[in-house]
Amino acid sequence: MPAEPIDPTGVTWTRVDERYITVKFITGILGWVITAAIVATPIVLDAIGVFSGIPLWIKIVVSVVVLVWAAVDLWLIPRRIRSIGYHEREDDLLIRRGILFQRVVAVPYGRLQYVDIEAGPLMRRYGLCTVQLKTAAAATDAVIPGASREEGARLREELSVRGQARLAGL
């Protein structure tokens, strides 16, 4: 993962699992199929004569916009996933994400209240999970999507231990 101007110096990011790209493709395609069906319904109803009055140019513009938007969204999925990373430091966990609008969040271990792991049916099928970090301040809550289940379990245990150690030191 190339360094960006907002990245702290000397940080080597751990990327999420590449299988997460497949999961996001599946959910993205399903979402766009549903969107296309909703957008196409009035066009189809107009074509079979249930109602009329939609100008041809509106049908064309709306269809093209939806198709182009879907294509760009699906094309960006691998790059979006590869921009997600995390790095464990001595006092905090850094989480990075974003292509155009980049964000780096530092979650201090002493502020961790609990670490949650979640995995829906599709994520379980691909052996992945989402690690959610809950802190005392809602603004510093963070998420690491697409971690392998083994890495998620390791992070949960490691971060919980570090969080308890920092709390005990207060």
Side-chain angles (χ1 to χ4, degrees):
M1 184 178 306
E4 295 289 341
I6 66 170
D7 290 343
T9 56
V11 170
T12 303
W13 297 104
T14 302
R15 288 186 179 176
V16 297
D17 197 298
E18 288 282 320
R19 293 175 290 183
Y20 190 51
I21 294 172
T22 305
V23 170
K24 291 305 281 185
F25 267 128
I26 292 168
T27 59
I29 289 169
L30 286 173
W32 281 112
V33 165
I34 292 168
T35 301
I38 291 169
V39 169
T41 299
I43 296 171
V44 170
L45 291 175
D46 184 45
I48 61 174
V50 173
F51 66 88
S52 61
I54 302 175
L56 180 61
W57 69 271
I58 290 180
K59 294 177 194 177
I60 292 171
V61 168
V62 168
S63 299
V64 168
V65 166
V66 168
L67 290 175
V68 169
W69 191 355
V72 169
D73 184 52
L74 294 172
W75 178 71
L76 286 174
I77 286 174
R79 186 139 183 237
R80 279 190 207 121
I81 301 307
R82 290 184 182 113
S83 74
I84 302 170
Y86 60 94
H87 178 75
E88 298 172 71
R89 297 196 300 188
E90 186 176 330
D91 295 321
D92 57 12
L93 176 72
L94 297 175
I95 301 174
R96 174 184 190 255
R97 68 181 327 138
I99 301 171
L100 186 59
F101 298 99
Q102 297 174 344
R103 181 179 183 191
V104 174
V105 176
V107 181
Y109 297 129
R111 304 283 297 198
L112 283 176
Q113 291 183 330
Y114 66 92
V115 181
D116 188 21
I117 294 181
E118 140 184 321
L122 192 57
M123 294 280 274
R124 283 195 314 270
R125 165 71 176 88
Y126 284 91
L128 302 174
C129 66
T130 298
V131 180
Q132 295 181 343
L133 309 169
K134 299 296 181 179
T135 64
T140 56
D141 286 356
V143 175
I144 303 172
S148 69
R149 295 190 77 183
E150 298 80 23
E151 180 66 3
R154 186 197 69 78
L155 280 170
R156 180 185 59 215
E157 295 304 317
E158 180 69 26
L159 297 177
S160 295
V161 167
R162 289 183 184 188
Q164 287 297 328
R166 297 301 189 282
L167 283 175
L170 293 178

Short mmCIF file of all heavy atoms in Angstrom, two decimals, residues 17 34 39 82 127 140 161:
data_model
loop_
_atom_site.label_atom_id
_atom_site.label_comp_id
_atom_site.label_asym_id
_atom_site.label_seq_id
_atom_site.Cartn_x
_atom_site.Cartn_y
_atom_site.Cartn_z
N ASP A 17 -8.23 -8.87 3.94
CA ASP A 17 -8.14 -10.04 3.08
C ASP A 17 -8.68 -9.74 1.68
O ASP A 17 -9.70 -9.08 1.53
CB ASP A 17 -8.95 -11.17 3.72
CG ASP A 17 -8.60 -12.53 3.15
OD1 ASP A 17 -8.81 -12.72 1.94
OD2 ASP A 17 -8.14 -13.38 3.92
N ILE A 34 -30.98 -4.61 -8.16
CA ILE A 34 -32.22 -4.11 -7.54
C ILE A 34 -32.48 -2.67 -7.97
O ILE A 34 -33.62 -2.31 -8.31
CB ILE A 34 -32.14 -4.25 -6.00
CG1 ILE A 34 -32.16 -5.73 -5.62
CG2 ILE A 34 -33.26 -3.49 -5.32
CD1 ILE A 34 -31.81 -6.00 -4.18
N VAL A 39 -35.51 1.29 -11.30
CA VAL A 39 -35.46 2.35 -12.32
C VAL A 39 -36.15 1.90 -13.61
O VAL A 39 -36.82 2.69 -14.28
CB VAL A 39 -34.00 2.77 -12.59
CG1 VAL A 39 -33.89 3.67 -13.80
CG2 VAL A 39 -33.43 3.47 -11.36
N ARG A 82 -8.47 -2.26 -1.30
CA ARG A 82 -7.02 -2.21 -1.10
C ARG A 82 -6.56 -0.95 -0.36
O ARG A 82 -5.42 -0.89 0.09
CB ARG A 82 -6.32 -2.35 -2.44
CG ARG A 82 -6.47 -3.75 -3.00
CD ARG A 82 -5.69 -3.96 -4.29
NE ARG A 82 -5.93 -5.30 -4.78
CZ ARG A 82 -6.58 -5.57 -5.90
NH1 ARG A 82 -7.02 -4.60 -6.68
NH2 ARG A 82 -6.78 -6.82 -6.27
N GLY A 127 -15.06 -16.86 4.85
CA GLY A 127 -14.12 -16.91 5.97
C GLY A 127 -13.68 -15.54 6.45
O GLY A 127 -12.55 -15.40 6.92
N THR A 140 -14.52 8.14 17.93
CA THR A 140 -13.35 7.32 17.65
C THR A 140 -13.69 5.85 17.47
O THR A 140 -12.80 5.02 17.41
CB THR A 140 -12.28 7.47 18.76
OG1 THR A 140 -12.89 7.15 20.01
CG2 THR A 140 -11.69 8.84 18.78
N VAL A 161 -6.89 -7.36 25.43
CA VAL A 161 -5.82 -7.43 26.44
C VAL A 161 -5.12 -6.08 26.56
O VAL A 161 -4.89 -5.58 27.67
CB VAL A 161 -4.81 -8.55 26.07
CG1 VAL A 161 -3.54 -8.44 26.90
CG2 VAL A 161 -5.45 -9.90 26.24
#
